[in-house]
Amino acid sequence: MWFWILLSLALAGLTILLFFRQREEWGMRQVAEANARRMGRELDLAHKDLERMRTLFGSALNAFPRPVLVTDTSRVVLTANPAALKLLDLPREQVEGRLIARLLQHYDATNMLIDAMKTGEPRERVIQRDTTGELWHIGATPLRLGGALPGTSRADPDGTYLVVTIEDLTEIRRLETVRRDFVAHVSHELRTPLASVRLLAETARDAVERDPAAARGFADRIIGEVDHLRQMVSELLALAQAESGSASLQLEPTDMSGLVEVVMERMRPIATERGVTLLADLPEDVPDAQVDSRRMVQVLTNLVDNALKFTEEGGTVRVTTHVNAHDGAKPLLAISVSDTGIGIPQDELPRVFERFYKVDRSRARSASGPHAASQASGTGLGLAIAKHLVELHGGRIWAESRPGQGSTFTFTVPIASASASSGVSADGARVAS
């Protein structure tokens, strides 16, 4: 009997022991599962943070206005932002995966990138590409990371990358060249009349007592030189306003036939003095144009004056108008100023609207007639002003010419709609007509 009692107690104890052991193991499993769930949540959060960082890096790289390329240690492009693709004028598949040296195509730039990677220090250099003549400022910054580059699935085994930025200085250099040329031209154009004024003033001072008639002649010539300087200053101001966009336009439906007649009457005395016939060929049904009449008078005056300067005595300058329906969906009014003058060589036509451009003086001197010597005079700003004013109206201007066969300057302006009743300033703000 005692045997069975002891056996029952032993079995009960063993059962209790197994119960607590299972309970302990179950608790440990619960803790392990909780830890695993916590670690999973932490890994998930870390993965989401990494994805956010990749998205942020990619968005920042794409939004960065300057071209950026990222390479691995071997200088193979891993990623490039849209600005870089636009600068290189290549699709993404032809940029990523290629050696950056093949994209830059410049020996010194490649050596700079190699040096930056070796030293781990940023490097920069200004280069001029032999293939295109573009001027680039290139910066290279080594970047060391412990893993894949955010924003790209590819990674460098060494965790070392090279961030290459490019700044295109071509347009800045061109503008700097234009500025230097502009200052040089202005200095040259001012120096000549100022020297003439001083010389004439000194001569008139010496002649005022012994030869009053000659002194008056010198005074008249001084007035002419001063008028030339005043015209240059006025045209420089007009050109500056047109180029900067600060010149406002009072747009209104304008009778272009009447406006042409006004300009013809103003320029007819000059044409008569030079022995040139001035004609207007205007259809009766010319539509009104939506323009600033004061600015259009300035454009036409500059074009007619330019035609008169380079037309020989006995020649003709003719103004015509017609509707041009080839410049887009809406028809435009085209005004042409043609002459029978000395003409312009084909290679010089693209330059005629440049500031201070003047026709070859030797060709001007070859023109016959008593006014041939003065035909090339002027500031060289009239056509540049005309171009900017036409473009402010939303039109365009061009020249056609052959040496010895005269020239034709044509510009287009918008045709006024039936409901046009207000104007627009040059910067887009509406102004009363």
Side-chain angles (χ1 to χ4, degrees):
M1 179 177 181
W2 287 103
F3 173 77
W4 293 110
I5 292 173
L6 291 174
L7 182 60
S8 298
L9 290 174
L11 291 174
L14 181 61
T15 301
I16 293 173
L17 180 62
L18 291 174
F19 171 76
F20 280 107
R21 174 63 64 86
Q22 289 177 353
R23 184 175 180 180
E24 182 181 359
E25 291 178 354
W26 179 82
M28 292 177 63
R29 285 198 303 270
Q30 291 295 318
V31 172
E33 290 175 359
N35 289 336
R37 288 194 296 270
R38 185 176 68 254
M39 292 179 63
R41 288 194 297 269
E42 291 176 354
L43 288 174
D44 186 55
L45 290 174
H47 179 72
K48 290 181 179 179
D49 288 340
L50 180 60
E51 288 300 321
R52 282 196 294 269
M53 289 298 296
R54 287 181 175 178
T55 302
L56 178 61
F57 179 85
S59 299
L61 189 65
N62 290 337
F64 194 66
R66 186 177 299 179
V68 179
L69 302 101
V70 183
T71 78
D72 59 14
T73 306
S74 302
R75 300 179 304 285
V76 174
V77 178
L78 299 177
T79 185
N81 68 347
L85 300 179
K86 181 178 180 181
L87 179 67
L88 297 171
D89 194 24
L90 291 172
R92 185 174 298 276
E93 56 270 18
Q94 294 185 23
V95 174
E96 296 179 351
R98 293 183 62 185
L99 284 171
I100 193 171
R102 296 182 179 179
L103 301 174
L104 299 181
Q105 298 181 351
H106 196 278
Y107 179 77
D108 292 338
T110 302
N111 286 338
M112 181 198 70
L113 300 182
I114 296 174
D115 183 54
M117 187 62 76
K118 284 183 178 180
T119 62
E121 298 292 332
R123 294 286 186 267
E124 59 181 321
R125 188 182 185 93
V126 176
I127 67 167
Q128 183 168 8
R129 302 182 72 203
D130 297 331
T131 54
T132 62
E134 296 171 301
L135 192 69
W136 286 359
H137 177 270
I138 301 178
T141 304
L143 181 65
R144 300 187 185 277
L145 298 176
L149 183 71
T152 178
S153 58
R154 287 178 286 184
D156 188 282
D158 298 331
T160 303
Y161 305 90
L162 196 62
V163 180
V164 180
T165 60
I166 304 175
E167 182 180 6
D168 191 354
L169 303 177
T170 307
E171 181 64 13
I172 296 177
R173 182 182 63 173
R174 187 190 71 81
L175 293 175
E176 180 64 21
T177 302
V178 170
R179 185 191 65 81
R180 288 197 303 266
D181 291 345
F182 179 77
V183 172
H185 281 304
V186 170
S187 301
H188 174 75
E189 293 295 334
L190 290 176
R191 186 185 301 114
T192 301
L194 286 175
S196 298
V197 167
R198 179 177 178 82
L199 178 61
L200 291 169
E202 292 175 349
T203 307
R205 181 188 58 189
D206 296 336
V208 68
E209 293 183 358
R210 57 182 176 82
D211 193 349
R216 285 193 295 270
F218 290 130
D220 291 338
R221 292 176 61 184
I222 290 174
I223 292 174
E225 294 293 345
V226 171
D227 287 341
H228 177 73
L229 288 171
R230 184 174 60 182
Q231 179 189 3
M232 181 183 299
V233 172
S234 176
E235 292 185 349
L236 283 171
L237 178 60
L239 182 61
Q241 290 178 339
E243 288 183 334
S244 65
S246 61
S248 61
L249 300 180
Q250 297 291 332
L251 301 182
E252 58 184 357
T254 302
D255 177 11
M256 291 301 292
S257 296
L259 190 145
V260 170
E261 290 294 344
V262 169
V263 174
M264 299 291 274
E265 289 302 317
R266 176 183 296 181
M267 302 301 295
R268 189 159 280 113
I270 300 176
T272 301
E273 179 186 359
R274 296 180 178 178
V276 176
T277 302
L278 195 55
L279 300 175
D281 185 5
L282 307 175
E284 295 182 358
D285 57 347
V286 176
D288 289 349
Q290 187 74 5
V291 296
D292 184 321
S293 57
R294 182 171 59 91
R295 301 292 186 181
M296 279 297 103
V297 166
Q298 188 174 5
V299 170
L300 274 170
T301 299
N302 288 351
L303 294 179
V304 173
D305 181 62
N306 179 77
L308 290 174
K309 286 177 182 177
F310 298 102
T311 301
E312 302 174 2
E313 184 176 1
T316 301
V317 172
R318 186 185 304 272
V319 180
T320 60
T321 62
H322 64 278
V323 175
N324 184 344
H326 303 290
D327 286 336
K330 293 183 178 180
L332 300 172
L333 183 64
I335 299 94
S336 298
V337 178
S338 304
D339 63 63
T340 58
I342 59 178
I344 305 170
Q346 293 297 308
D347 58 343
E348 293 189 41
L349 276 177
R351 300 190 56 208
V352 295
F353 296 104
E354 293 180 6
R355 292 175 296 183
F356 296 107
Y357 170 83
K358 293 183 180 180
V359 73
D360 186 353
R361 302 269 180 158
S362 62
R363 293 192 299 112
R365 285 193 297 269
S366 67
S368 62
H371 304 286
S374 63
Q375 285 178 337
S377 63
T379 62
L381 296 173
L383 294 180
I385 293 173
K387 177 178 181 292
H388 283 286
L389 290 179
V390 168
E391 291 177 350
L392 279 177
H393 283 79
R396 68 184 188 95
I397 187 170
W398 66 93
E400 300 170 291
S401 181
R402 288 187 178 181
Q405 298 183 21
S407 305
T408 298
F409 287 79
T410 304
F411 67 93
T412 59
V413 289
I415 294 176
S417 62
S419 59
S421 60
S422 62
V424 180
S425 67
D427 58 1
R430 296 188 68 81
V431 294
S433 61

